[in-house]
């Protein structure tokens, strides 16, 4: 789902010039600037302006570039832009894309538009599109590009070179050719570097690399992204259950997977249901955010009732009211640090039941040392402010215990959500804050009631 390489110079600063020209109603100037911008920069521009400015600018984007722009913008903005296009414009936009990019776009289109796009494709491209759409979009099959270059192993390299010259342009990110047998079963790869440096009379079989990374069509896209990162891949083949070559995955598609996953985790940590248009209507934004805000309200009420239980203690020692937010705040921060580490470890496949106990023990140790260190510092500050040694000791103890609670919750929340098939990042930040707030207030005020009053 990546924008294809273009020879135009990238000029992101021109985005401001577009807005200025739009305000001056100089549409010719807007068109001139847009023709100089890379599709990714046009996408960024469209995401950063309100719909009342976005729609006129979008109408001036070259239809041949529109498809690439649609792939670069966020899903929320893409849906907004698609609503501004008629079927003819969408067909033109789609026809300028590679087959795998059309497959990425098609899920946001109506059945009528999809039928028009399919009608505009030739028979071979329709078959290729059907092949990609037959797999879930979050798998290697849904991610692959079916445009591959294959050769047989019984020919020599001179024949291969002549074939490539006759073929002309190669698919993007082609760093190797796929060697297949008569049944299209993958044998190995012939790298372009070997093709250029080996003897022209050498057989393909002699220079074929047979030990290679390949993916089954149903491999999850996360595993594909991890493999590309681990082995520094540029392209990799996708095969069916019989080893037949189906297509290839390129690094630009994997970068999109990594970016989308990172965006999703950021949103989930904040408890957002989905990515929203920066300039979405008030009602749309409210619908996107209300779920976890409602939960946050419930947890805030619980925290307030915890404080209410110790109201008489606070009345007797007013210093408690000033110090208790510190305990809760530091605990929340520590818990969020732990959750971030655990969610990342789960995403990278580094956490499993075997190493869970060791990791849990390590986080307990970190929380105890941090709690005693920072709790001791805050205890010293409390003693300097209030000249009350028992209060200082309670402050130190409460800090250590709340950081211990934060580490337990920080490990447990994402791990058990993942274990039961839920997104470990979704709302974790909200939950940890609720636990450390209520727990911090209860621990601090409880200790103060027991030992100070």
């Amino acid at each position: 789902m990546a924008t294809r390489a273009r020879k135009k110079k990238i000029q992101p600063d021109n985005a401001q010039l577009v807005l200025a020209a739009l305000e001056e109603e100089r549409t010719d100037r807007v068109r001139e600037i847009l023709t100089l911008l890379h599709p990714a920069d046009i996408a960024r521009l469209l995401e950063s302006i309100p719909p009342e400015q976005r729609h006129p600018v979008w109408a001036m984007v070259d239809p041949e570039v529109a498809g690439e722009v649609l792939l670069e913008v966020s899903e929320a903005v893409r849906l907004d832009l698609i609503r501004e296009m008629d079927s003819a414009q969408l067909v033109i936009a789609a026809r300028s894309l590679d087959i795998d990019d059309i497959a990425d776009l098609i899920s946001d289109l109506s059945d009528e538009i999809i039928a028009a796009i399919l009608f505009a494709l030739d028979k071979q491209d329709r078959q290729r599109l059907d092949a990609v759409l037959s797999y879930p979009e979050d798998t290697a099959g849904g991610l692959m590009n079916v445009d591959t270059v294959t050769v047989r192993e019984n020919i020599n390299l001179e024949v291969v070179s002549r074939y490539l010259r006759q073929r002309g342009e190669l698919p993007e990110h082609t760093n190797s050719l796929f060697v297949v047998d008569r049944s299209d079963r993958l044998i190995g790869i012939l790298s372009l570097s070997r093709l250029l440096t080996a003897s022209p009379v050498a057989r393909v079989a002699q220079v074929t690399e047979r030990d290679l990374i390949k993916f089954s069509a149903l491999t999850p896209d996360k595993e594909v992204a991890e493999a590309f990162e681990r082995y520094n891949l540029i392209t990799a083949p996708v095969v069916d259950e019989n080893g037949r070559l189906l297509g290839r995955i390129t690094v630009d598609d994997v970068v999109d997977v990594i970016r989308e996953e990172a965006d999703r985790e950021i949103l989930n940590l904040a408890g957002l249901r989905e990515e929203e248009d920066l300039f979405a209507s008030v009602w749309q934004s409210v619908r996107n955010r209300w779920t976890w805000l409602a939960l946050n309200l419930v947890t805030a009420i619980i925290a307030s009732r915890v404080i209410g239980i110790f109201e008489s203690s606070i009345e007797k020692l007013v210093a408690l009211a000033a110090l208790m937010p510190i305990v809760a705040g530091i605990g929340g921060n520590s818990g969020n640090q732990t959750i971030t580490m655990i969610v990342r470890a789960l995403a990278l496949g580094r956490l499993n039941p075997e190493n869970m106990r060791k990791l849990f023990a390590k986080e307990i140790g970190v929380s105890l040392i941090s709690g005693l260190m920072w709790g001791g510092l805050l205890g010293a500050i409390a003693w300097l402010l209030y000249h009350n040694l028992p209060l200082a000791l309670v402050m130190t103890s409460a800090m250590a215990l709340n950081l211990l609670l934060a580490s337990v919750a920080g490990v447990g929340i994402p791990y058990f959500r993942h274990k039961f098939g839920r997104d470990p990042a979704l709302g974790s930040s909200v939950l940890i804050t609720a636990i450390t707030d209520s727990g911090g207030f209860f621990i601090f005020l409880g200790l103060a009631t027991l030992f100070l009053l």
Side-chain angles (χ1 to χ4, degrees), residues 339-356:
I339 274 184
T340 301
M341 294 295 295
I342 300 302
V343 168
R344 184 174 183 273
L346 289 169
L348 296 175
R350 297 173 180 171
L351 193 58
N352 52 63
E354 288 72 26
N355 60 24
M356 183 64 188

Side-chain angles (χ1 to χ4, degrees), residues 6 75 87 94 134 174 195 200 244 265 274 276 319 326 386:
R6 298 172 65 87
E75 184 177 356
S87 58
S134 64
T174 297
L195 174 63
R244 286 193 295 265
E265 286 186 6
E274 60 187 22
E276 66 181 51
I326 300 176
Y386 301 103

Side-chain angles (χ1 to χ4, degrees), residues 156-168:
N156 63 39
L157 299 186
E158 174 58 33
V159 174
V160 175
S161 298
R162 189 162 58 247
Y163 163 67
L164 294 181
R165 286 193 294 271
Q166 291 174 349
R167 191 181 194 279

Side-chain angles (χ1 to χ4, degrees), residues 69-147:
V69 176
L70 286 174
L71 292 173
E72 291 292 334
V73 295
S74 65
E75 184 177 356
V77 174
R78 183 186 308 134
L79 294 173
D80 177 55
L81 297 178
I82 287 174
R83 284 193 291 267
E84 295 296 309
M85 304 174 71
D86 57 35
S87 58
Q89 291 172 320
L90 283 167
V91 170
I92 293 173
R95 290 185 64 181
S96 67
L97 301 173
D98 294 332
I99 295 301
D100 60 328
D101 291 334
I102 296 176
D104 290 330
L105 186 62
I106 225 165
S107 60
D108 295 322
L109 304 178
S110 66
D111 292 340
E112 179 184 352
I113 301 299
I114 294 173
I117 291 174
L118 292 175
F119 182 77
L121 299 175
D122 59 34
K123 181 179 179 181
Q124 184 182 35
D125 283 342
R126 280 198 297 272
Q127 291 175 340
R128 289 176 172 180
L129 183 59
D130 287 340
V132 176
L133 293 176
S134 64
Y135 298 102
E137 63 178 345
D138 59 351
T139 63
L143 194 63
M144 70 180 178
N145 187 334
V146 292
D147 190 7

Side-chain angles (χ1 to χ4, degrees), residues 52 107 157 182 225 235 238 255 276 281 315 336 370 423 434:
E52 54 268 22
S107 60
L157 299 186
R182 293 184 179 276
T235 62
V238 179
V255 168
E276 66 181 51
S281 68
E315 289 178 352
N336 277 312
S370 297
D423 189 333

Side-chain angles (χ1 to χ4, degrees), residues 241-309:
E241 62 275 9
N242 297 314
R244 286 193 295 265
L245 180 67
L246 297 174
R248 68 191 181 109
I249 296 173
T250 56
V251 66
D252 56 332
D253 295 313
V254 172
V255 168
D256 289 333
V257 171
I258 294 172
R259 182 187 63 185
E260 290 167 4
E261 183 63 25
D263 289 344
R264 189 180 302 115
E265 286 186 6
I266 291 172
L267 293 172
N268 286 343
L269 282 171
L272 292 173
R273 296 166 59 193
E274 60 187 22
E275 184 178 6
E276 66 181 51
D277 183 350
L278 186 62
F279 299 99
S281 68
V282 172
W283 177 240
Q284 287 177 318
S285 296
V286 168
R287 285 197 309 168
N288 185 34
R289 305 179 193 186
W290 77 269
T291 305
W292 288 95
L293 287 177
L295 177 61
N296 206 6
L297 175 62
V298 173
T299 58
I301 292 173
I302 293 173
S304 71
R305 296 318 306 149
V306 170
I307 297 173
I309 294 173

